[in-house]
Amino acid sequence: MTSQQAHSGFISHLVELRNRLMRAIFAILIIFLSLVYFANDIYSFVATPLIEHLPANASMIATDVTAPFFAPFKLTLFAALFLAFPFVLHQVWGFIAPGLYQNEKRMLIPVLISSVLLFYSGIAFSYFVVFPIILGFFTSIGPEVMTLTPDISSYLDFVLKLFFAFGIAFEIPVFIMLLCWSGMTTTTDLKNKRPYIIVGAFVLAMFLTPPDVLSQTLLAIPMLALFELGLVLASFYSKKQSTEEMEQQE
């Protein structure tokens, strides 16, 4: 291959990368424009777990003049990002797939599908399980002389942080499978390091969640359960891969 051909191939890859990035951004923009009319309804839906636990005489407030507009607007933008996640991954797959072998494609397609499902599962888990527990606890422990009036912007930051934390944490089985598949580690090594991983899960949860023990524990425990699930799946894929390699050698 001449230097001119290599240069031409590099340029074509850059052009394809740009086109796929533009498609991903365009998809996010289309979803956002479709949802922006319902921005206030989306915020009301996300705020439901908090509103249900507020005292009868309490309500949410806005401490900034622009917050009633920008808080739902910001949430709608993040909702568009979350909903466009499968399409973005599809564009990533379309860019890297031509450089993969057939067996690598068979391995990565289920991983990509699983990563999407696990990401959405993490968000759903945080909304339907974690939020009611955390918000119910924190709205019930304050002194009776205090009236709880949460700020809409502060609550949005709290919600988005937990959504992101649980969405990423639920990808642990995928990360473990990829690490074992790439040869960077093995399931045996990970099992031997389990005590350190338990400590690391609580430390990581401390950085990903708001500064309270309850949120950290509610994130760390699913992370450890997903770690064990990742070990099981990685062992299954390792056995399957070894069997296929033996069949090819025969």
Side-chain angles (χ1 to χ4, degrees):
M1 181 182 293
T2 64
S3 60
Q4 184 176 1
Q5 290 174 331
H7 179 72
S8 176
F10 178 72
I11 294 299
S12 65
H13 283 305
L14 287 180
V15 171
E16 183 182 1
L17 178 61
R18 182 201 64 185
N19 291 338
R20 292 193 177 277
L21 285 175
M22 292 300 296
R23 291 173 193 167
I25 294 173
F26 186 71
I28 295 171
L29 181 61
I30 291 297
I31 295 175
F32 171 75
L33 293 177
S34 302
L35 295 177
V36 71
Y37 178 79
F38 307 98
N40 291 333
D41 296 326
I42 295 172
Y43 191 95
S44 297
F45 173 77
V46 173
T48 298
L50 174 62
I51 295 173
E52 289 179 347
H53 290 92
L54 288 178
N57 60 339
S59 63
M60 300 183 71
I61 62 171
T63 57
D64 190 349
V65 175
T66 60
F69 172 77
F70 280 109
F73 185 89
K74 179 180 177 181
L75 177 60
T76 305
L77 178 59
F78 275 91
L81 289 171
F82 291 154
L83 292 175
F85 184 58
F87 184 79
V88 173
L89 277 183
H90 175 71
Q91 294 304 310
V92 173
W93 173 253
F95 182 73
I96 66 174
L100 299 176
Y101 294 108
Q102 194 63 34
N103 62 329
E104 293 174 333
K105 291 180 181 180
R106 288 199 302 267
M107 164 67 185
L108 289 178
I109 288 176
V111 169
L112 288 175
I113 296 174
S114 300
S115 65
V116 174
L117 295 177
L118 287 170
F119 182 76
Y120 287 144
S121 297
I123 294 176
F125 180 82
S126 63
Y127 180 82
F128 291 105
V129 178
V130 177
F131 283 3
I133 296 174
I134 293 178
L135 298 175
F137 174 75
F138 285 115
T139 55
S140 63
I141 61 173
E144 295 182 359
V145 295
M146 180 192 71
T147 301
L148 182 63
T149 53
D151 176 62
I152 60 173
S153 297
S154 298
Y155 177 72
L156 177 60
D157 293 338
F158 170 82
V159 165
L160 292 178
K161 190 172 184 179
L162 284 182
F163 278 165
F164 180 77
F166 279 87
I168 295 299
F170 270 58
E171 300 288 346
I172 288 176
V174 174
F175 293 149
I176 292 177
M177 291 173 60
L178 291 176
L179 287 173
C180 295
W181 177 68
S182 64
M184 296 179 64
T185 186
T186 63
T187 55
T188 303
D189 292 336
L190 291 174
K191 289 177 182 178
N192 293 334
K193 296 175 181 177
R194 186 179 280 116
Y196 303 100
I197 292 174
I198 293 174
V199 175
F202 280 91
V203 173
L204 182 61
M206 179 179 64
F207 287 103
L208 292 178
T209 60
D212 64 89
V213 177
L214 185 59
S215 300
Q216 295 164 13
T217 304
L218 289 174
L219 178 58
I221 292 177
M223 286 173 65
L224 294 174
L226 291 166
F227 167 74
E228 298 296 334
L229 175 61
L231 290 179
V232 174
L233 295 176
S235 300
F236 172 77
Y237 266 92
S238 298
K239 293 178 182 178
K240 184 177 180 181
Q241 186 176 6
S242 299
T243 302
E244 290 179 353
E245 290 176 353
M246 291 177 63
E247 291 177 352
Q248 291 176 358
Q249 290 176 358
E250 294 175 356

